[in-house]
Structure formats: C-alpha cells, structure tokens
Amino acid sequence: GALKWKLDGDGSKIIAPIAEGPDGNYYASSENGNLLILDSATGTLRSKIHLGKATAWGTMAVDSERLYVATIEHSVYAVNFQSGKTDWSVTLGASIAGGVTLVDEKLMVGTFAGKVIALDAQTGKTLWEVKTDGWAWQAPVAAGDSLFATDLGGTLRALAASDGAPQWSQKLGAPIQAAPAVDGGIVFIGTATGEVRAFSA
C-alpha cells in the first residue's frame, strides 16, 4: 500500500481506467480531452495528445499499433503509438459510456442510441450493428466466439462476434447497467433491482 508516485494530471477528472501501451507507458484519458502519457515507473508526464472534446468513461482497448478511446461525446478515436497522432476517428451519433472491446481486429461498443456496433479497427468503418432494448451502457464482453451484451431494457444477449448474429437472449425484467462477467462457460449478470443471475453461455 506504499505510494510509489503521484501525478496531478491536467486539472480535470480522469474517469476511464488507465491503459498500458505496448511501449510500456500508461495512458490516461482526461475530461479536458487530453490523452496523458505517463512513465510507468515514475508517473512522469512524458507528453499528451489532445483529442478535442473527448471524455472517456469506459475501458480503452490496446493492440500493437493503437490505443482506442470511446467517448461520451459520441466518437471513437484510434491513436497511433508510434506517431502520437489519430489514425482515424468516427462519430456514432450517441454517447458511448462503457468503453470499447477489441476482438479479432474489430472494436465493439454499446451506445445510448440503443445499439451494439462493430467497427473495423484499421479504418473505423462500421461492420455491423445490432439494435438493443434501450441504452447499451456497457461494451459487450467477449468469450470464445461470442459477445455478451446488456441494455437498460433488461435484455442479456449472446451475439456472434463475427457478424453480430443473435445466438440467444434472456429478458431479466429490470434494467441492466452493468457488464456481464463470463467464467467457466457461465455468464453472470446483476440488475438494477439487486438480483444476480447466472446463465449457461
């Protein structure tokens, strides 16, 4: 529990979990729209990338080339580690609160327009989208060849990661704001009424 280092950031909130890049640096997304690049050993601010009006609430995704940031201001950004510049950005027309999931070079997000959307990680092009029963507060969770998505309408869905095809769904009768957890072939989910359920994946 000993404090190793502390950085005051840029004076704004940092809501999204910090991500570690392939370069060994930590990346923190601030409410001011800055991507802060920190030395992992000392916390020293190495540099920052300004993304504009960009507030990330959910987990950022990382591959060998890019960091992917989804924002409340409706956009997804792909930031290149080598150049420090944005390779692409797309606007999806609704807030994205739950971050982004990366599976087989596809980025999966849930939006407040009631959609789960898959984007090509190389270009940002929309590959497919699935309508949900209300806001999709979280990004889908990947396990095997499936994605597990939730919504405020109270539906838990299993979708094919390849094309979004429905595999099965369960209506839980209460809003679901949380992401599911998957372990040992079981999908665990909690609802706004305080119930926790487990389903066969």
Side-chain angles (χ1 to χ4, degrees), residues 19-163:
E20 183 176 6
D23 53 6
N25 291 321
Y26 290 155
Y27 289 76
S29 177
S30 81
E31 199 173 38
N32 282 341
N34 293 316
L35 195 59
L36 308 176
I37 305 174
L38 316 180
D39 182 280
S40 59
T42 66
T44 302
L45 181 63
R46 289 183 175 273
S47 61
K48 61 184 177 181
I49 302 167
H50 188 64
L51 298 180
K53 192 175 181 182
T55 308
W57 283 8
T59 301
M60 298 178 282
V62 175
D63 62 20
S64 60
E65 297 179 64
R66 302 178 188 90
L67 175 77
Y68 303 96
V69 186
T71 72
I72 290 296
E73 289 81 17
H74 306 182
S75 296
V76 179
Y77 298 84
V79 180
N80 190 290
F81 287 115
Q82 188 169 3
S83 69
K85 298 184 181 300
T86 300
D87 281 350
W88 56 259
S89 65
V90 294
T91 300
L92 299 181
S95 292
I96 307 160
V100 59
T101 298
L102 177 62
V103 183
D104 296 331
E105 297 191 1
K106 291 189 284 291
L107 302 171
M108 317 294 183
V109 298
T111 77
F112 283 9
K115 295 179 181 179
V116 171
I117 300 174
L119 305 174
D120 185 301
Q122 295 297 319
T123 65
K125 178 183 176 182
T126 296
L127 299 174
W128 53 259
E129 59 182 54
V130 173
K131 186 69 177 167
T132 58
D133 299 328
W135 290 4
W137 195 281
Q138 300 292 342
V141 172
D145 296 328
S146 298
L147 299 171
F148 299 96
T150 59
D151 58 57
L152 293 191
T155 303
L156 170 65
R157 282 182 175 77
L159 307 171
S162 58
D163 59 6

Side-chain angles (χ1 to χ4, degrees), residues 8-14 30-34:
D8 288 334
D10 64 359
S12 68
K13 295 177 185 176
I14 296 174
S30 81
E31 199 173 38
N32 282 341
N34 293 316

Side-chain angles (χ1 to χ4, degrees), residues 152-178:
L152 293 191
T155 303
L156 170 65
R157 282 182 175 77
L159 307 171
S162 58
D163 59 6
Q167 296 176 333
W168 55 261
S169 65
Q170 291 282 354
K171 291 189 178 295
L172 275 60
I176 309 170
Q177 189 171 346

Side-chain angles (χ1 to χ4, degrees), residues 1-22:
L3 179 66
K4 294 293 186 180
W5 53 257
K6 177 183 175 183
L7 176 75
D8 288 334
D10 64 359
S12 68
K13 295 177 185 176
I14 296 174
I15 302 171
I18 292 171
E20 183 176 6

